[in-house]
Amino acid sequence: MPAQSMDQLVSLCKRRGFIFQTNEIYGGLQGVYDYGPLGVELKENLKKAWWTTMVYSRDDVEGLDASILTNKKVLKYSGHEETFTDPLVDCKDCKNRMRADHIKDSKCSHCGSINLTEPRPFNLMFKTNIGPVSDDESYAYLRPETAQQIFTNFKNVIDSTSKTIPFGIAQIGKAFRNEITPRNFIFRVREFEQMELEFFVKKGEDEGWHEYWIEERVSWWEQQGVEKDRIEILRVPKEELSHYSKATVDLMYKFPHGVEELEGIANRTDFDLGSHSKNQQDLNITTEVVNNKDSNAKLAVQNLESKEWEVPYVIEPSAGVDRGVLAVLNEAYKEESLENNKSRVVLALKPHLSPIKAAVIPIKKNNPTIVDFSKEIKDKLQKLGLGRVVLENTGNIGKSYRKHDEIGTPICITIDFDTIEDETVTVRDRDSMKQNRIKTEDLEGLLRSLLQQ
Ligand code: GAP
C-alpha cells in the first residue's frame, strides 16, 4: 500500500529533510522546491539508476550535458515560440488566473464566479537577458525541455563518436516552464529536471522502436519499486498530440492526487532534426517544418546503399526526475502497526535508491572504545563507494531505528561490547525489523548484495 495522501509525503519530506519549499523564510516562491540533505541523495540515486540503464548498459547511447541558456533561434525553429502555450483564463472578479482546461463547471476555482475572460494562449517559456544591454533583441530562453540541446548537438556527437543509426543521446538536466498553476507539491513545478533520451532511427523502423522503448521504460520504473499495476499506458489521442509528435504514449502513474503523467514516450519523427537543418529541400523530410534560414549544419545521415541523405526519425522517452522522486516516495511510504499499540512509518525504498545505505550505531554514546570502533567501521564501509553511510551516535538505539525506518535506510549496524571482543555486530533489517549477528568482515558482502536487489 502506498501513501494515503500527499500530506503524508509532504510532512515526511519536510520533517526529515527531503524537500523544502524554496526561500521559505521570505514566503517562498510558487512552484519551486529545494532538495534537502536526504532529498539530494535520493534524487541523485534515481538519476544514477537512469544513467546506468540508459547509457552504461548500452553501446548505442552516448551522454550529453548541454547548456540551459538557449539561443532563441533554437526555440523558434523547434516550434516552441509559436506553440508552447497553455490556454489561460482570468477571473474578472477576483483576478485569479487559471488554465482553461483545469476549469470545472465554467467557474473560477478561487471565488466561484462565472465572470471569466475568453481563453488566450500564454507562452510557458522563461526569457532572460544576455549581456549588459537589455533590449528586445538580446534575450535567450531557459530551455523548456532538455531535448532541443540534444538535437542541436546531433552533428557534434556523430562527428566525434562515429555513431551510426540506430543510436541515442541521453541527457539529464533542468528545464523551466512558467506553469500557470503549479501544484501538487513537486508534481507540477516551474523548475524541474528531466531525464531524456533521443533515440535516432531509420524511418520505417520508428514504430517498432517506439514499442521497444515503451516496454523498456515500464520495466525500468518497476526496477525502481513502482508497481506495474499502478502504471497505466495511455496512447495519447491524435488531437492532443504535441506539434512534433506522430504518436505519444504516456506512462500514467497513480500519484496521491490522481492518475497523471510520469513519463512520455513520443515518436517525434524527423520534425526536430529536419527543422534545425540547413538545405532542407535536399533531405526528403517527411513532416512539415519551418523553412530554416539560419542553421549552418545538415542534420542528416547518408544512406550507404542509395547514397541519399536522410533525416533520422526520433523516439523520445522523457521522464521527469521530480515526478519520479514523488512516485518512488509514494510507493515506498508505509505506516505499520506494531505490537503494544505502537506504529511506525517506514520508507521501503529499493536499497539502491535509499539516501543512506547503512547507519552505524554505537550502543554507548560516550564510550570512546565503542565510538572509535564504530567510526572505523563507518569509514571502511564509506570507502567502498556504495553510497552514503552515517555514524548515528545518539545513544538511543530505538529512536535511531525509527528514524532510519522513516528515511529508508536498509540496515542499521549496532556496535556493542561484544564487537570489541569478537568482531561481530548486530544488523537490523529495515523491512522485517529482524536482527542478526554477523562478522564485521561480512558487512561488505551484505551491503553489496542489498544494493543488487
Ligand atoms: N521533451 C519532451 C517533453 O518535454 P513533456 O511531456 O512536456 O515532454 C516530459 O515532459 C516529462 O517532464 C513529463 O512526463 C514530466 O515527467 C516532466 N514534466 C513536464 N512538465 C513538468 C512540470 N511542470 N513539473 C514537473 N515535471 C514536469
Side-chain angles (χ1 to χ4, degrees), residues 84 144-147 177 179 186-194 196 198 242 244 250-251 261-264 266 268 316 318-324:
F84 198 58
E145 59 172 3
T146 68
R177 295 181 190 178
E179 297 283 355
I186 52 170
F187 176 81
R188 188 178 303 288
V189 281
R190 290 184 167 133
E191 175 176 341
F192 56 98
E193 276 188 272
Q194 292 184 314
E196 297 201 300
E198 306 303 325
S242 303
Y244 50 72
D250 285 343
L251 304 187
E261 180 186 335
L262 171 64
E263 167 161 357
R268 295 183 74 131
E316 176 199 63
S318 169
V321 178
D322 310 79
R323 288 187 191 179

Side-chain angles (χ1 to χ4, degrees), residues 112-126:
S113 165
I114 51 163
N115 196 11
L116 308 177
T117 62
E118 285 299 312
R120 61 207 152 80
F122 170 76
N123 196 292
L124 299 181
M125 289 195 294
F126 282 102

Side-chain angles (χ1 to χ4, degrees), residues 199-413:
F199 197 76
F200 303 100
V201 302
K202 213 171 155 42
K203 183 190 159 214
E205 294 174 3
D206 51 311
E207 289 176 11
W209 278 109
H210 196 191
E211 294 308 314
Y212 166 86
W213 278 110
I214 296 163
E215 262 181 46
E216 286 290 298
R217 296 305 304 145
V218 172
S219 147
W220 184 81
W221 282 112
E222 262 191 283
Q223 289 158 32
Q224 311 317 309
V226 179
E227 287 276 340
K228 201 174 176 179
D229 60 11
R230 274 194 286 279
I231 297 182
E232 279 174 31
I233 294 184
L234 174 83
R235 294 191 185 260
V236 178
K238 278 245 166 328
E239 60 280 9
E240 287 173 27
L241 291 175
S242 303
H243 62 279
Y244 50 72
S245 171
K246 163 178 161 183
T248 296
V249 163
D250 285 343
L251 304 187
M252 306 291 283
Y253 172 72
K254 203 165 179 191
F255 288 99
H257 64 278
V259 178
E260 293 221 51
E261 180 186 335
L262 171 64
E263 167 161 357
I265 303 149
N267 181 342
R268 295 183 74 131
T269 66
D270 54 1
F271 174 82
D272 298 278
L273 292 181
S275 296
H276 290 304
S277 192
K278 71 172 183 183
N279 301 347
Q280 291 166 318
Q281 66 287 350
D282 304 332
L283 301 178
N284 302 311
I285 298 169
T286 63
T287 48
E288 206 176 304
V289 292
V290 186
N291 179 15
N292 195 320
K293 298 191 194 85
D294 296 306
S295 171
N296 57 25
K298 183 164 65 175
L299 304 184
V301 292
Q302 196 170 23
N303 183 321
L304 295 179
E305 282 153 28
S306 67
K307 304 289 176 217
E308 296 250 327
W309 285 88
E310 294 168 354
V311 179
Y313 266 45
V314 179
I315 306 300
E316 176 199 63
S318 169
V321 178
D322 310 79
R323 288 187 191 179
V325 167
L326 190 57
V328 295
L329 279 173
N330 186 49
E331 288 289 311
Y333 186 96
K334 291 191 179 90
E335 283 183 8
E336 285 180 357
S337 306
L338 305 175
E339 288 163 4
N340 310 329
N341 281 340
K342 290 193 171 151
S343 66
R344 70 166 183 158
V345 170
V346 57
L347 210 50
L349 288 167
K350 290 272 181 188
H352 72 274
L353 294 179
S354 294
I356 294 168
K357 307 304 178 198
V360 182
I361 311 174
I363 199 150
K364 279 260 180 265
K365 183 176 163 185
N366 297 321
N367 182 306
T369 316
I370 288 188
V371 173
D372 285 351
F373 207 92
S374 304
K375 280 188 186 154
E376 241 176 70
I377 290 183
K378 183 238 136 133
D379 287 345
K380 266 194 200 149
L381 294 178
Q382 188 62 69
K383 282 191 185 128
L384 297 174
L386 300 174
R388 185 142 201 223
V389 178
V390 295
L391 182 80
E392 191 65 62
N393 195 12
T394 58
N396 186 333
I397 304 279
K399 224 173 157 183
S400 300
Y401 285 167
R402 289 290 162 274
K403 170 182 165 184
H404 284 280
D405 285 347
E406 242 186 70
I407 65 175
T409 308
I411 51 169
C412 288
I413 302 162

